[in-house]
């Protein structure tokens, strides 16, 4: 196929932009911002093109997996816009990109939050803008790479590479605690990711065991499509110190799950998040909180469900329990917190627990809901952090007890904040309701009690979101809030599209289901082992 | 009377042997020439010596590259004294390259430190020659001599700042402990010689292969002692004690050189001896190697965790890196060797870069060594700081840098070889290592406070910048275009396997 | 133009008008002259009322097949066959029309009233924005043709209520009340959502194959095939629906928010917390009557809860001193009756009482609003008294409303309330015990209704402010008078038992019949004799209540304090402290939840969750120091260690490997 | 020389080697430490020659020769270093060389 | 012969202990000289005449003279008493244990044929040509390298044979030693040279 490598362009154009930035003098902040924004706009154009060109119900034959014996077979998950080149031929690692509905939506979110991140940069809030913008563009490339790669090694490559620009961003911008928080984040992530690396290597050798005696590739594979169609050898449980534990495949799943659970994060692997989110400035958080944590959930769905169907079932309830724990625990912490940024951070823990729960329902409603909720969360968390950031900047404190009655001084912010709060608490009619309802339905189909537990979480969410919103907006003005000014036009223009999207998705979420249902049914089919048409009629 | 009939006839070396020795010949020739040149070059023009050294190294590199194609079929020269194969040429290439990089950053550094003497270049070349001999050695005798050649040169280089107490102390420690370790190494060689009747590796391998089920404990003791000797040279724990002290005390450019060169050469020999010559008794010695690997990874990384001296931190880090590479030795299978070679290349590019930053940034007074010295570096020398950060990330094993694929292949080898526990140790300690690498990064990017004085970093010279650029490029190329070095390492592995199995 | 298209346009218009008003007032309002806002706010609701009337005529004129029309605006969500598929549907039928008429009609009057009431408030635009949003939400709720949209509307009214309760956001008590109301509502939402799940998962078609749909017509049509009458699942569904309804309608045990909600401006109380929103629970049960008919146990529970709440609220209303709270408890009590009605299957009766109650309760609130307005925001009735001389028209309207509330014959409330009690004699659990409770409630209603009138408007003025009070302006008085008129005649108009002047007898019943005709469990009318008896007894009790109250509070013979003194101490205590529900919930829900949250944040998070991370970090930092201590700097130590480990290797080799 | 002495010579060599090693551990005078190292190398030489004798191999003697040469050069460098370090008249104690630690 | 060996061996041991235990540096050096001479004697007994000569000339001669010279230069009277501490314990245990262990391993019957008589010439009969296991195994691989019987070598001349080997089979190692010596020389010169600043005028 001789088509334009659109997906490669998505990865390369930002890097090109970052290089171009080096030619701009550091003092010319306007030019730097223009270059960054234009680069991202160009990428946004490509992403939009890809999404428009995305076929809702593609012919499965268009996405062929190359088996280890050299033959091809339709991939269980249909990817589009595929690009396939050798990378390290000796070990069968390939540069294999592709997009499915899951990655498509997240890609849209990705470019969205990064564009937002680029727009909110200002000379006032961001020193050394060239450095910053370069890192921003690199982070985008890495996150997009995570979403687009179909090869496990390539996926891991981007997964870890993402940490580098993030490390610089987090360690250079933020309050005085940023150093510790950054190291905590990186260590957490690296520790879990390295476990995943071992699991990836194990998968490779396990696939090698399935090689035909003669002919074929001669080596194992990292390719997701191939791995999905490669039977793994029979597994004996590993015994550690004489105690029989799990099979290697189960261990591998646990390693993957750990990596994703940290990134999401699921309680009890979450403690990096409040620290990190609290010490990071809002312009970084727009994309850091906006996309990075979704990648964990993405991983659960893309790899956890597909490569490890057996272990995913074995440990399903463990993950679900952690997800429920995250929902409730995050909510409780948000409820007792006084730092407005940390409240938002804990709310994020709670929300993302729901996403993971949706994924582990193993049915179309849950998975579709999870996809929607990932996008929603990206929008909400970005908006919330921007708002909280504005409040912090105006008031000079983050203590909810010291800020009150802002509605009087900031009526415009109040409206935005209200809508975002409502979205955050899952108000029916808002975007999150679509996702939450779907996930709850999926969870209900899995086990009714889950829906009830989520219900408790929803009530708590309502409580803490209102506590946050009312806490800063209502009651008589405190001295600290006496002189604050309302939103600038710029700030309002940044928040407006986010809020508009929240309302729009709530009003017309139809595109989500329309685009995703084909791929989602494939995921469900893979994880449940039922054929695609049957898996659709779950229960 | 047939007096001579009773003893074997003498064998005569041929011209082919000389061809196989070409890289070493160029180096040693250059060594002699530079030593003589030093006598005539005026003191103010010692930069010329550096240029001359680089020329020699370039010539050697040319010969090595030529040899890569010439030695498509591996062979041994001088009656199994050395091998002429891609395995040793791989190491030669790295050694020559890092020597060139070190020589490029040296004049500026030595001038600032008031140490710019001509002997320096001759000694660097001498040590490099020793390293190449060690890397190509195919007999115990050449291994020993190679080690001694490089060691003696490095003893002197460590004490090159002869008026400084730290430098003296470093040299003394290195010398005494080095001699001690040489003794242990030699005793191991004796036992192996006594148990096999030979000192040439191919013949030892043949003996072992023929008697694989009948291994004498004494031989294994010899293997163990030999390994101790090697472990000392690659600074693997618990034989690493000299490393931090010597790295810290020696002039930084020397540390740069020896931290990479010694390791590359010694590991090349170690792999040749253990993974291939002793391959048949792998199950007898792999426990010890794995033990040392684990101790190195844990000890190196943990001790580096709370360091406040840059050079010591990098020293402990290099101990840990030795542990990772040892995993490649401890596991059976070609991937272990390939991984170790890849790791060595990656380590060379990265470590030389990291030390080069310290070298290039060292001012006239004390060496840049304390953590305080790099605080806020990014605000004054953004590109240098960025390069340093890249090297640190590579040491930490982040893609898209070289370090990632080094670890990837090593862990892959461990899993393939059924030694997942080693890989687990590896990742656990990698996590620890990330902590202290990133801490340096944080310091460099720490915003300087108003009116705060900082370490007087010198201006970056063209050569210094070039070296940093080259290391950074190498780090990235090894991290992205993996197949380049991977295929090279694979053919190196094929070569060593062909000569010894 | 087909009927469906027209109805679609009308339905759309109905929804769009208030939304447009809300957006206009919200965004443009603050920058426009006050007059514009004052026109736009009520105007859009008035227009909606007109549209509602057109819809009414359409439904009245429709043939049998088109009595209920469902229009799909757009596909809302589609996860593929067998999974969630939802359309934005609007259902227009008699039940919806009745609701529309009340919502837009009463709503319009209250909007007009607000123009006067909020005259001095600078945030009038925001106020009308919220009010319009409420009208939209309520319409969404009643028009929804899909359970999901019903839930959306359900939650949106809660939102509007929240916004309006907390309208005066600088009052901490208002903020608290708003949050309390909203959280309680969310509990109801969750119950509804789970009910929806139970329905969608269990719904089956005639052929026994699963139908994955939340479309209300589909659900109602297929309910009979999916659920066995009295089965466990349908009972759970109905209990959950009922919980939703209880939350919205302030029924036990989710009732505590309503009195607090009186923190909002009085028009809000009139519109939301009396006339419309709180009765949505009644609407919900009526709407889902098909399901409730299949679950007699759940329906019985609903009836009991309704009657119980009615009794409890009646008792509480007796002792309260805040004018709005008295009316609020009265509302709670009356809604209890409605809930009782729909619980026993008397859906029409319930809806009838909803309509009349909307009228007279809105009236009472607005009249109370006039009083508060005149008293400069004073709400304590103990500080009033004798206002009737200064606010004659208001007093007249108030009396009309009170009598309607008390169920004095031929007032609107009499028709509807006695209708419900009549059904109580033949249907529901434990007949006729709940009817007997109803009689008690009749007495209580008379008592508190007349007490309020007597204390506020009669007697001696208690403060100087009373003397400055003056009648409300026309814009406020007008709606009050209109509603006062309706309180008198509406019952006659809607349920006059004889055919007269072209209006059919029992107009409302016949209008609603097509909706409830499917209902299998609809109660039979009580026999004429029983009905007449119940009517008579009920009326007597109501009149008795009024009479006693008149004696006690107007004539003060005996003085009410003496009577209270003669009662068991517990009763007035319970009444005054609202049966201690706030304290109870605080003790068993709020405090424990807060304590758990605080523990999570202060103890679990730093010690446990972060503790294991920090513990590991600290551990490594500690052993790092130990490791470094090994590095003594002494050459001899280094050599010793090397020799030692070499020896270890020798031992290891000889004794472990070489064996 | 008969084969009977073979194990004794190897044993002697080991003993000398370990005595040398012990010398490195216990002595503080750098010169004596150095001598101890020389002792170790000598012990190795003895083993080389012994093995070579009974293996009928020349490698042992050649190797021993190399060891002697190496030892000599090490001594040259080592003594030069010791003179540099201790020339200033400080006490001959290697324990003083412990500025760098941990 | 054997008696001489035993005596020389014991003397070597004693002088070695002297090196590490004597307090005065100069005595240590003298002990080392003694030790070297004993070893040279053993070399002679083991038919390594060239090596014995080298040992005496280079070691006992040149190297030890250098030692004594430096001792005299730096600290003629310095004393150094080994302390009784952990290090000494490790050392003593190591000496005793390792020596016994190695001897035990050597004498386990596998390392060498305890009953055999070693041949001294290729043509000798009634003896073992490969008394050591290493010889037995090794000669199967490369018999040429393992056929330097002492009598045959002596007949040619030990020095001639060693020299011949050095310049043929072991040419490369031999050349490396030359490099080594140059490096050592440069180093020694550099380290001991007087300090100067600026240009050099030697």
């Amino acid at each position: 196929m001789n088509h334009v490598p659109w997906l490669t362009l998505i990865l390369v154009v930002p890097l090109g932009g970052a290089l171009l930035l080096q030619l701009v003098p550091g003092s010319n902040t306007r030019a730097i911002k223009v270059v960054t924004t234009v680069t991202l706009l160009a990428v946004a154009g490509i992403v939009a093109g890809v999404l428009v060109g995305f076929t809702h119900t593609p012919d499965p034959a268009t996405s062929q997996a190359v088996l280890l014996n050299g033959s091809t077979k339709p991939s269980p998950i249909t990817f589009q816009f595929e690009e396939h080149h050798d990378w390290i031929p000796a070990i069968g690692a390939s540069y294999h990109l592709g997009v499915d509905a899951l990655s498509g939506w997240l890609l849209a979110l990705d470019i969205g939050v990064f564009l937002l991140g680029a727009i909110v940069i200002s000379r006032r809030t961001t020193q050394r803008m060239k450095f910053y913008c370069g890192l921003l563009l690199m982070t985008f490339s890495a996150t997009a790479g995570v979403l687009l790669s179909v090869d496990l090694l390539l996926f891991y490559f981007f997964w870890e590479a993402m940490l580098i620009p993030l490390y610089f961003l987090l360690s250079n911008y933020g309050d005085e605690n940023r150093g510790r928080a950054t190291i905590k984040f990186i260590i957490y992530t690296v520790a879990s990711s390295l476990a995943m690396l071992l699991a990836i290597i194990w998968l490779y050798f396990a696939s090698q065991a399935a090689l035909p005696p003669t002919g074929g590739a001669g080596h194992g594979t990292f390719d997701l499509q191939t791995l999905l169609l490669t039977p793994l050898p029979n597994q004996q449980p590993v015994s550690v110190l004489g105690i029989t534990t799990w099979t290697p495949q189960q261990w591998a799943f646990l390693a993957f799950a750990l990596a994703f659970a940290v990134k999401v994060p699921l309680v009890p692997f979450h403690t990096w998040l409040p620290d990190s989110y609290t010490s990071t400035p809002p312009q970084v958080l727009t994309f850091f909180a906006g996309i990075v944590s979704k990648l964990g959930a993405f991983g659960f769905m893309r790899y956890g469900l597909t490569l490890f169907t057996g272990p995913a079932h074995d440990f399903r309830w463990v993950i679900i329990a952690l997800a429920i724990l995250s929902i409730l625990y995050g909510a409780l912490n948000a409820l007792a917190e006084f730092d407005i940024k940390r409240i938002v951070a804990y709310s994020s823990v709670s929300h993302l627990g729901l996403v993971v729960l949706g994924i582990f329902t193993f049915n179309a409603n849950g998975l579709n809901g999870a996809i929607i909720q990932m996008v929603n969360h990206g929008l909400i968390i970005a908006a919330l952090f921007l708002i909280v950031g504005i409040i912090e900047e105006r008031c000079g404190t983050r203590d909810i007890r010291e800020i009150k009655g802002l509605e009087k001084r900031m009526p415009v912010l109040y409206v935005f904040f209200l809508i975002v709060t409502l979205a955050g608490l899952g108000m029916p009619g808002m975007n999150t309701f679509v996702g939450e309802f779907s996930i709850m339905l999926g969870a209900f189909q899995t086990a009714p009690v889950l829906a009830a537990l989520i219900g408790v979480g929803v009530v708590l969410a309502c409580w803490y979101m209102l506590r946050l919103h009312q806490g800063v907006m209502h009651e008589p003005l405190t001295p600290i809030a006496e002189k604050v000014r309302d939103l600038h036009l710029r700030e309002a223009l940044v928040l407006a599209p986010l809020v508009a999207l929240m309302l729009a998705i709530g009003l017309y979420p139809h595109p989500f289901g329309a685009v995703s249902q084909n791929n989602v049914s494939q995921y469900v089919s893979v994880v449940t082992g039922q054929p695609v048409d049957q898996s659709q009629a779950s229960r | 009377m047939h007096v001579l009939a009773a003893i074997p006839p003498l064998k005569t070396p041929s011209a082919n042997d000389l061809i196989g020795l070409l890289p070493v010949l160029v180096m040693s020739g250059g060594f002699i020439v530079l030593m003589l040149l030093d006598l005539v070059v005026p003191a103010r023009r010692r930069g010329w010596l550096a240029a001359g050294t680089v020329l020699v190294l370039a010539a050697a590199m040319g010969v090595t590259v030529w040899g890569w194609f010439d030695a498509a079929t591996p062979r041994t020269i001088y009656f199994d004294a050395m091998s002429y194969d891609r395995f040793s040429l791989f190491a030669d290439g790295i050694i020559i390259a890092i020597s060139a990089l070190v020589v490029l950053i040296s004049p500026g550094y030595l001038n600032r430190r008031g140490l710019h003497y001509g002997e320096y270049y001759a000694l660097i070349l001498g040590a490099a020659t020793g390293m190449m001999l060690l890397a190509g050695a195919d007999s115990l005798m050449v291994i020993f001599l190679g080690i001694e050649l490089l060691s003696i040169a490095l003893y002197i280089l460590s004490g090159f700042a002869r008026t400084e107490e730290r430098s003296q102390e470093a040299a003394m420690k290195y010398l005494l402990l080095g001699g001690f370790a040489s003794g242990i190494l030699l005793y191991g060689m004796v036992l192996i010689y006594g148990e096999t009747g030979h000192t040439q590796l191919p013949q030892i391998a043949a003996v072992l292969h023929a008697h694989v089920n009948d291994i004498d404990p004494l031989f294994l003791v010899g293997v163990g002692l030999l390994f101790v000797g090697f472990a000392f040279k690659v600074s693997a724990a618990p034989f690493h004690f000299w490393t931090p002290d010597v790295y810290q005390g020696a002039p930084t450019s020397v540390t740069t050189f020896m931290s990479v060169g010694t390791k590359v050469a010694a590991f090349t020999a170690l792999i040749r001896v253990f993974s291939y010559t002793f391959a048949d008794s792998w199950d007898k010695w792999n426990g010890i190697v794995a033990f040392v690997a684990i101790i190195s990874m844990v000890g190196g990384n943990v001790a580096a965790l709370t360091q406040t001296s840059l050079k010591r931190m990098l020293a402990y880090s290099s101990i840990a890196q030795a542990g990772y590479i040892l995993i490649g030795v401890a596991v059976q299978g070609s991937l272990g060797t390939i991984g170790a070679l890849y790791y060595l290349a990656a380590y060379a590019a990265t470590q030389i870069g990291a030390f080069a930053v310290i070298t290039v940034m060292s001012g006239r007074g004390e060496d840049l060594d304390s953590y305080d010295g790099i605080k806020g570096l990014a605000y004054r020398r953004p590109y240098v700081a960025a390069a340093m950060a890249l090297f640190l990330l590579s040491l930490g094993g982040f893609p898209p840098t070289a370090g990632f694929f080094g670890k990837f292949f090593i862990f892959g080898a461990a899993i393939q070889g059924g030694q997942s526990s080693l890989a687990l140790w590896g990742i656990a300690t990698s996590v620890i290592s990330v902590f202290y690498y990133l801490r340096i990064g944080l310091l460099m990017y720490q915003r300087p406070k108003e009116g705060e004085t900082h370490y007087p970093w010198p201006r970056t010279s063209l050569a210094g910048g070039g070296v940093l650029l080259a290391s950074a490029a190498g780090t990235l190329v090894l991290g992205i275009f993996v197949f380049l070095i991977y295929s090279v390492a694979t053919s190196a592995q094929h070569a060593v396997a062909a000569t010894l199995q | 133009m087909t009927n469906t298209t027209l109805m679609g346009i009308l339905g759309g218009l109905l929804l769009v008008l208030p939304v447009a008003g809300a957006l206009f007032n919200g965004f443009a309002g603050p920058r426009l002259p006050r007059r514009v806002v004052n026109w736009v706010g009520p105007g859009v609701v008035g227009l909606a009322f007109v549209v509602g009337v057109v819809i009414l005529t359409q439904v009245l004129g429709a043939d049998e097949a088109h009595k209920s029309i469902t229009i799909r605006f757009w596909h809302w969500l589609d996860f593929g066959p067998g999974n969630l598929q939802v359309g934005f549907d609007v259902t227009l039928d008699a039940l919806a029309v009745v609701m529309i008429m009340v919502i837009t009609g009463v709503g319009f009057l209250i909007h007009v009233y607000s123009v006067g009431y909020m005259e001095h408030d600078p945030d009038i635009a925001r106020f009308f924005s919220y009010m319009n949003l409420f009208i939209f939400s309520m319409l969404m709720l009643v028009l929804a043709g899909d359970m999901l949209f019903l839930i959306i509307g359900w939650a949106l009214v809660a939102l509007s209520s929240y916004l309006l309760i907390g309208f005066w956001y600088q009052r901490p008590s208002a903020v608290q009340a708003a949050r309390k109301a909203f959280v309680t509502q969310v509990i109801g939402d969750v119950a509804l959502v789970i009910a929806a799940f139970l329905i969608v998962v269990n719904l089956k078609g005639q052929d026994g194959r699963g139908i994955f749909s939340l479309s209300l017509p589909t659900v109602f049509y297929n309910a009979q095939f999916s659920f066995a009458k009295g089965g466990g699942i349908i009972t759970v569904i109905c209990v959950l629906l009922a919980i939703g309804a209880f939350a919205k309608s302030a029924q036990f045990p989710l009732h505590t928010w309503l009195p607090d909600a009186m923190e909002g401006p009085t028009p809000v109380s009139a519109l939301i917390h009396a006339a419309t929103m709180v009765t949505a629970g009644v609407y919900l049960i009526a709407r889902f009557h098909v399901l409730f008919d299949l679950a007699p146990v759940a329906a019985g529970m609903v009836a009991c809860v309704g009657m119980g709440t009615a009794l409890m609220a009646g008792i509480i209303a007796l002792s309260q001193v805040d004018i709005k709270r008295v009316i609020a408890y009265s509302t709670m009590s009356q809604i209890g009756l409605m809930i009782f009605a729909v619980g026993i299957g008397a859906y029409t009766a319930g809806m009838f009482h909803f309509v009349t109650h909307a009228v007279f309760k809105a009236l009472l609130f607005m009249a109370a609003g006039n009083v508060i307005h005149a008293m400069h925001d004073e709400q304590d009735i103990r500080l009033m008294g004798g206002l009737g001389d200064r606010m004659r028209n208001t007093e007249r309207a108030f009396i009309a409303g009170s009598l309607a509330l008390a169920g004095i014959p031929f007032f609107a409330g009499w028709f509807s309330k006695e209708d419900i009690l009549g059904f109580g004699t033949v249907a529901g659990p434990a007949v006729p015990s709940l009817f007997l409770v109803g009689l008690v409630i009749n007495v209580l209603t008379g008592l508190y209704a007349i007490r309020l009138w007597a204390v506020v408007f009669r007697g001696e003025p208690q403060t100087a402010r009373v003397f400055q009070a003056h009648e409300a302006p026309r814009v406020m008085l007008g709606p009050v008078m209109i509603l006062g008129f309706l309180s008198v005649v509406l019952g006659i108009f809607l349920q006059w038992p004889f055919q007269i002047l072209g209006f059919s007898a029992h107009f409302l019943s016949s209008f609603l019949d097509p909706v409830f005709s499917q209902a299998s469990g609809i109660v039979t009318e009580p026999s004429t004799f029983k009905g007449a008896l119940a009517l008579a007894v009920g009326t007597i009790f109501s009149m008795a209540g009024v009479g006693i109250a008149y004696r006690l509070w107007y004539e003060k013979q005996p003085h009410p304090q003496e009577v209270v003194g003669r009662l068991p101490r517990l009763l007035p205590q319970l009444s005054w402290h609202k049966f201690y529900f706030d304290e109870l919930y605080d003790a068993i829900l709020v405090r424990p939840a807060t304590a758990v949250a605080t523990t999570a944040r202060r103890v679990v998070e730093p010690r446990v969750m972060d503790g294991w991370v920090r513990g590991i970090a600290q551990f490594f930092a500690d052993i790092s120091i130990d490791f470094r201590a090994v590095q003594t700097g002494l050459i001899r130590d280094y050599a010793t260690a090397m020799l030692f480990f070499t020896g270890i290797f020798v031992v290891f080799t000889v004794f472990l490997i070489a064996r | 020389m008969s084969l009977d002495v073979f194990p004794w010579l190897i044993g002697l060599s080991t003993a000398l080697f370990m005595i040398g090693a012990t010398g490195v551990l216990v002595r503080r005078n750098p010169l004596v430490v150095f001598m101890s190292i020389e002792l170790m190398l000598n012990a190795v030489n003895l083993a080389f020659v012994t093995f070579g004798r009974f293996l009928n191999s020349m490698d042992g003697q050649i190797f021993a020769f190399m060891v002697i040469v190496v030892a000599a050069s090490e001594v040259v460098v080592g003594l030069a270093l010791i003179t540099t370090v201790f020339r200033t008249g400080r006490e001959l104690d290697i324990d003083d060389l412990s500025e760098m630690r941990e | 012969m054997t008696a001489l060996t035993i005596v020389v061996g014991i003397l070597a041991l004693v002088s070695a202990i002297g090196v590490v235990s004597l307090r005065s540096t100069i005595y240590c050096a003298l002990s080392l000289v003694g030790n070297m001479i004993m070893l040279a004697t053993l070399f002679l007994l083991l038919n390594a005449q060239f090596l014995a000569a080298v040992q005496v000339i280079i070691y006992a001669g040149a190297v030890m003279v250098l030692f004594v010279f430096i001792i005299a230069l730096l600290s003629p009277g310095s004393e150094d008493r080994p302390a009784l501490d952990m290090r000494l314990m490790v050392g003593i245990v190591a000496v005793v244990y390792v020596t016994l262990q190695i001897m035990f391993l050597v004498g386990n019957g596998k390392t060498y044929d305890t009953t055999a008589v070693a041949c001294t010439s290729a043509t000798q009969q009634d003896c073992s040509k490969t008394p050591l296991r290493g010889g037995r195994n090794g000669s199967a691989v490369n018999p040429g390298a393992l056929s330097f019987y002492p009598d045959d070598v002596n007949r040619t001349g030990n020095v001639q044979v060693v020299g011949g080997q050095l310049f043929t089979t072991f040419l490369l190692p031999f050349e490396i030693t030359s490099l080594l010596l140059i490096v050592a020389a440069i180093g020694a010169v550099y380290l001991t040279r007087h300090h100067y600043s600026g240009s050099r005028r030697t």
Side-chain angles (χ1 to χ4, degrees), chain C residues 207-360:
Chain C
D207 54 0
R209 289 179 54 178
I211 300 174
F212 213 89
S213 172
L214 281 170
S215 170
L216 288 179
T218 315
V219 170
F220 296 150
Y221 177 73
N222 293 300
Q224 48 184 318
F225 313 121
S226 315
F227 307 106
K229 180 156 180 159
I233 293 173
I234 187 70
T235 304
V236 173
I237 291 172
C238 289
V239 167
L240 287 167
L241 288 172
I243 291 175
F246 293 166
K248 191 109 313 180
S249 294
Q251 297 297 295
F252 171 85
L254 299 170
H255 63 280
T256 56
W257 63 272
L258 184 61
D260 292 1
M262 296 303 129
E263 289 289 345
T266 308
V268 171
S269 310
L271 177 60
I272 298 180
H273 305 119
T276 52
M277 183 188 96
V278 283
T279 50
V282 183
Y283 166 78
L284 182 81
I285 295 172
R287 184 50 98 189
F288 282 85
H289 64 272
V290 180
L291 301 185
F292 278 92
D293 290 341
L294 290 171
V297 177
M301 183 218 59
V302 169
C304 294
V305 169
M307 197 52 100
T309 311
L311 180 64
M312 178 185 76
I315 293 171
I316 297 172
L318 278 178
S319 67
Q320 297 301 306
V321 295
D322 183 314
I323 184 169
K324 284 175 74 181
R325 285 190 183 230
V326 175
I327 308 177
Y329 279 107
S330 143
T331 306
M332 200 189 285
S333 177
Q334 296 303 309
I335 295 168
L337 281 181
M338 294 178 218
I339 293 280
F340 166 73
V342 292
I344 61 172
Y347 302 112
T348 313
M351 290 311 293
F352 182 32
H353 193 51
F354 152 71
V355 175
T356 56
H357 175 258
V359 168
F360 64 69

Side-chain angles (χ1 to χ4, degrees), chain B residues 215-255:
Chain B
I215 303 281
D216 197 15
L218 202 58
F219 169 74
L220 291 176
V221 171
V223 170
L225 298 181
L226 188 67
F227 180 69
V228 170
F230 274 120
F232 177 86
K233 275 295 152 201
V234 302
S235 54
F239 308 101
H240 67 284
F241 293 99
W242 60 278
T243 316
D245 296 2
V246 174
Y247 280 19
Q248 191 185 12
T252 313
S253 62
V254 174
T255 311

